[in-house]
């Protein structure tokens, strides 16, 4: 259905099967929040949960809560709740640490598996994209420098270069499923198969995918995956991240952060490290329980819908946004950097403009929240659980008003976080 008026958007919102879920989030009146791809909105339940954890579990029950409130099991319990959203099986996911740290574990474990197998021990190249989120590249750089075994990182410039770049020397293909800047969505199954054909392993960063697009890790036969809980999963600022290790790799998953939470018997207090047999070997040390506990409130909301419904609405929202911007802002120099094709589009849309930072700040001043990414990119995230069609319509009206009347300050000072 093509939405050509604000009234039509309001009608679409009434008919939207996700409409009721918006009420579950704390969103200020008048705010149009298009940044759920950076920091998801707060579920009302998170406030109640925080109160409970701090008041009762920590305040009253103190140390007993490791057992009585299930604190020790929380990384695996949340992992099992998250698993269906990413096509993982039970006991394949833990919620823990940060995405960067989980990447470190996954890269280290993958290189270790490759190095121990005589058929793959010669492989020295890690392929990723130059447009990947910087932390992914930095973590690979850190490991390769530290290992000092001749690994080399090959940065490819476009997804089309993957086919010609993966070869017999490729140890690892490490990609972000939905690019943080352009919103380009990789075909996980196809790329993983290409990597496997050459004996390489494939690690996926699902930071912009989990809760945003359907993900089928096991179906794609992926090797490892990591991702954020503070974006589309609405787990709160700095919420612990997740790591997926499929059953078929768990026995060989040996990362170097061998802390006691990954030990087979943590309270036996043994002198030597012995990895626990299952997914909990991906853990390292004590987890930030208050932050971890918040994640459940976000995940609970996904149980009221399914990823296909979310995907259908996400595409309708991003289609509407692209159509409206290109229609009402046609006289301005905006360049769409997000793929038009549904097959390769995630759940955010980015436009390039010479004054992108200033324009984003002008939008934020009107309570239309997006963000800025280098170079010259305005990025807008669409979160089907709470973004409405009317939000999209109104956001574009604000954008065109700001552009038409040049209501932005070209010399505005940059904030640290853009
Ligand atoms: C693709 C991707 N990976 C990783 C991260 C962040 O990792 P961390 O939570 O370790 O800061 C982000 C965003 O912050 C991201 O977009
Ligand atoms: N992780 C963030 C942070 O620590 C501060 C501000 C923003 C973020 C983000 O989530 C950035 C995000 N990964 C991005 O895609 O740009």
């Amino acid at each position: 259905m093509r939405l050509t008026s604000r009234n039509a958007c309001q009608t679409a919102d009434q008919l939207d099967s996700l409409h009721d879920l918006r009420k579950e989030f704390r969103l200020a009146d008048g705010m149009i929040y298009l940044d759920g791809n950076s920091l998801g909105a707060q579920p009302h339940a998170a406030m109640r949960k925080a109160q409970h954890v701090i008041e009762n579990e920590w305040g009253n029950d103190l140390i007993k809560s490791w057992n009585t409130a299930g604190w020790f099991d929380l990384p695996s319990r949340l992992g099992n709740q998250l698993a269906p959203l990413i096509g993982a099986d039970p006991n394949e996911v833990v919620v823990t640490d940060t995405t960067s740290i989980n990447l470190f574990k996954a890269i280290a474990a993958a290189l270790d598996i490759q190095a121990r197998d005589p058929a793959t021990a010669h492989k020295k190249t890690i392929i990723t994209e130059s447009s990947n989120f910087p932390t992914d590249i930095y973590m690979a750089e850190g490991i390769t420098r530290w290992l000092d075994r001749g690994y080399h990182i090959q940065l490819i410039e476009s997804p089309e270069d993957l086919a010609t770049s993966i070869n017999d020397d490729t140890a690892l293909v490490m990609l972000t499923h939905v690019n943080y800047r352009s919103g380009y969505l990789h075909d996980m199954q196809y790329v993983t198969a290409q990597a496997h054909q050459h004996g390489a392993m494939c690690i996926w960063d699902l930071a912009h995918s989990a809760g945003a697009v359907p993900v089928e890790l096991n179906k794609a036969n992926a090797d490892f995956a990591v991702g954020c809980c503070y974006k589309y999963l609405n787990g709160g600022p700095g919420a612990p991240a997740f790591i997926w290790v499929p059953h078929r790799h768990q026995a060989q998953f040996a990362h170097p952060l061998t802390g006691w939470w990954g030990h087979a018997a943590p309270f036996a207090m043994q002198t030597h490290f012995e990895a626990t047999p299952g997914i909990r070997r991906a853990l390292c040390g004590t987890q930030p329980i208050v932050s971890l506990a918040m994640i459940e409130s976000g995940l609970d909301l996904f149980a009221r819908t399914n990823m296909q419904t979310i995907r259908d609405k996400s595409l309708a929202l991003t289609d509407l946004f692209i159509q409206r911007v290109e229609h009402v802002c046609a006289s301005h120099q905006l360049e769409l950097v997000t793929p038009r094709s549904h097959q390769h589009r995630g759940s955010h849309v980015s436009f390039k403009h010479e004054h992108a930072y200033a324009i984003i700040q002008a939008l934020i001043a009107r309570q239309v929240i997006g963000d800025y990414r280098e170079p010259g990119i305005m990025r807008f995230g669409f979160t089907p659980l709470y973004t409405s069609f009317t939000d999209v319509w109104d956001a574009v009206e604000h954008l065109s008003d700001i552009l038409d009347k040049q209501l932005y300050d070209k010399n505005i000072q940059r904030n640290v976080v853009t």
Side-chain angles (χ1 to χ4, degrees):
M1 179 182 30
R2 209 178 162 95
L3 301 172
T4 52
S5 68
R6 190 172 194 275
N7 274 346
C9 289
Q10 287 174 316
T11 306
D13 288 332
Q14 295 306 323
L15 297 172
D16 171 18
S17 66
L18 298 176
H19 186 64
D20 278 351
L21 281 165
R22 184 182 169 98
K23 294 201 275 290
E24 303 295 340
F25 291 92
R26 177 174 169 155
L27 287 163
D29 281 345
M31 179 187 277
I32 300 177
Y33 193 65
L34 302 180
D35 219 352
N37 54 318
S38 241
L39 175 62
Q42 185 189 106
H44 289 299
M47 187 63 93
R48 298 190 289 272
K49 183 80 183 176
Q51 185 84 31
H52 176 79
V53 172
I54 291 173
E55 178 100 23
N56 300 323
E57 296 183 4
W58 178 23
N60 294 336
D61 295 344
L62 284 160
I63 193 87
K64 290 184 287 178
S65 288
W66 284 108
N67 294 311
T68 56
W71 284 355
F72 196 69
D73 292 333
L74 203 48
S76 352
R77 194 154 56 77
L78 293 172
N80 283 336
Q81 201 179 348
L82 170 60
L85 301 183
I86 54 172
D89 286 337
N91 304 319
E92 289 188 331
V93 183
V94 276
V95 178
T96 184
D97 298 333
T98 66
T99 305
S100 306
I101 293 172
N102 288 334
L103 271 167
F104 180 88
K105 299 172 198 166
I107 298 168
L111 294 180
D112 179 64
I113 291 171
Q114 297 285 67
R116 284 175 195 280
D117 181 345
T120 51
H122 65 281
K123 292 170 166 289
K124 293 293 178 201
T125 306
I126 299 173
I127 293 183
T128 190
E129 292 179 283
S130 58
S131 65
N132 200 347
F133 190 74
T135 208
D136 297 48
I137 303 174
Y138 303 161
M139 294 311 289
E141 280 181 345
I143 293 177
T144 52
R145 194 178 327 115
W146 177 74
L147 281 174
D148 198 18
R149 284 192 209 143
Y151 287 109
H152 150 81
I153 299 169
Q154 184 181 350
L155 297 178
I156 57 162
E157 295 307 316
S158 111
E160 286 79 54
D161 296 343
L162 272 172
T164 50
S165 304
I166 302 173
N167 61 33
D168 187 48
D169 190 56
T170 313
L172 195 55
V173 176
M174 181 191 74
L175 296 170
T176 292
H177 186 219
V178 174
N179 186 280
Y180 81 102
R181 189 162 42 197
S182 67
Y184 182 95
L185 166 67
H186 281 284
D187 181 336
M188 182 184 284
Q189 192 156 0
Y190 176 72
V191 174
T192 304
Q194 280 185 314
H196 287 176
Q197 263 170 29
H198 292 274
M201 296 184 87
C202 212
I203 298 180
W204 292 97
D205 183 336
L206 305 179
H208 295 268
S209 311
V213 298
V215 179
E216 292 290 351
L217 286 170
N218 272 316
K219 205 167 146 198
N221 204 25
D223 292 297
F224 302 121
V226 299
C228 294
C229 293
Y230 50 71
K231 300 178 190 287
Y232 293 91
L233 299 177
N234 308 305
F242 63 87
I243 178 163
W244 170 75
V245 180
H247 288 298
R248 73 179 198 282
H249 285 323
Q250 285 181 3
Q252 308 99 281
F253 186 80
H255 66 85
L257 303 181
T258 47
W260 71 309
W261 273 47
H263 195 280
F267 282 86
M269 306 294 174
Q270 290 168 359
T271 325
H272 296 293
F273 183 78
E274 185 196 333
T276 192
I279 181 64
R280 285 183 71 96
R281 63 174 48 200
L283 300 177
C284 179
T286 309
Q287 295 303 298
I289 293 298
V290 178
S291 288
L292 204 53
M294 295 305 100
I295 295 172
E296 192 172 7
S297 311
L299 290 178
D300 281 347
L301 297 173
F302 284 89
R304 289 170 50 182
T305 179
N306 59 71
M307 284 313 300
Q308 195 50 53
T309 304
I310 288 176
R311 177 64 171 161
D312 292 345
K313 182 173 171 192
S314 159
L315 287 171
L317 291 167
T318 53
D319 275 346
L320 176 64
F321 185 72
I322 294 169
Q323 280 158 17
R324 289 296 299 157
V325 170
E326 292 191 331
H327 182 62
V328 297
C329 307
S331 60
H332 302 283
Q333 306 298 313
L334 287 172
E335 181 197 336
L336 178 67
V337 294
T338 301
R340 283 178 202 281
S341 125
H342 284 183
Q343 196 196 345
H344 289 300
R345 191 194 305 159
S347 202
H348 61 268
V349 174
S350 298
F351 280 97
K352 207 166 192 173
H353 189 282
E354 190 190 349
H355 300 298
Y357 184 75
I359 297 165
I360 277 290
Q361 293 306 313
L363 282 165
I364 292 172
R366 292 176 177 215
Q367 292 283 75
V368 179
I369 319 289
D371 59 25
Y372 171 83
R373 287 294 173 263
E374 287 291 344
I377 285 172
M378 295 188 273
R379 189 178 66 163
F380 303 92
F382 300 87
T383 343
L385 296 185
Y386 53 79
T387 307
S388 69
F389 292 99
T390 313
D391 282 341
V392 174
W393 185 277
D394 291 345
V396 182
E397 292 298 298
H398 281 291
L399 177 63
S400 78
D401 191 50
I402 288 168
L403 288 170
D404 288 346
K405 298 178 187 154
Q406 288 208 24
L407 298 174
Y408 51 87
D409 175 3
K410 292 176 192 165
N411 301 315
I412 194 166
Q413 280 285 107
R414 291 267 174 99
N415 287 320
V416 184
V417 174
T418 63

